[in-house]
Amino acid sequence: VQVVETGGGLVQAGGSLRLSCAASGSIFRVGTMGWDRQAPGKERELVASISSTGMADYADSVKGRATITRDNAKNAVYLQIDSLKPEDTAVYYCNADVKRHLTATYWVEWGQGTQVTVSS
């Protein structure tokens, strides 16, 4: 199973960014998908997650500025963050709970991460 993120880059403060992520490979079903981030010198933190039925959850730090959506047909998840702040600068990691076959348990798969840098 591969999890690949795209969409990172350099953005000015106040701007918007949309990250995309897709899981591919030997997949029977994908459960919750989400995004974590890790800033230099800080611990990794949950940014947002979304269940297979579309229930979303957000960190307080991005609540009101972020929107997470998914496309179940594509095993994809998207994260848009508006009103970006320099403190949003981090490596963003996509994760997906993947069930590889009918009797398998869900296993969290992670992407390699994509850098988001917000300039002031």
Side-chain angles (χ1 to χ4, degrees):
V1 175
Q2 285 188 315
V3 176
V4 179
E5 307 103 332
T6 57
L10 175 64
V11 186
Q12 286 192 332
S16 299
L17 195 68
R18 187 174 189 253
L19 304 178
S20 301
C21 168
S24 62
S26 179
I27 296 173
F28 175 75
R29 188 171 294 154
V30 178
T32 298
M33 304 183 79
W35 294 88
D36 286 15
R37 68 185 180 186
Q38 187 164 23
K42 295 188 177 181
E43 293 187 356
R44 187 178 290 199
E45 64 170 351
L46 169 71
V47 178
S49 64
I50 184 167
S51 72
S52 59
T53 59
M55 291 185 64
D57 190 27
Y58 299 94
D60 288 342
S61 57
V62 300
K63 200 168 288 184
R65 299 189 295 122
T67 303
I68 187 169
T69 57
R70 66 185 287 167
D71 183 335
N72 289 336
K74 297 180 180 179
N75 292 327
V77 63
Y78 310 95
L79 178 70
Q80 172 139 352
I81 306 179
D82 301 319
S83 303
L84 282 161
K85 306 174 182 179
E87 50 263 44
D88 292 318
T89 295
V91 178
Y92 284 70
Y93 298 92
C94 175
N95 61 82
D97 287 347
V98 175
K99 189 179 177 73
R100 295 194 180 206
H101 53 82
L102 178 61
T103 59
T105 57
Y106 282 96
W107 185 263
V108 180
E109 302 283 353
W110 292 89
Q112 293 297 309
T114 185
Q115 176 71 46
V116 172
T117 303
V118 183
S119 63
S120 56

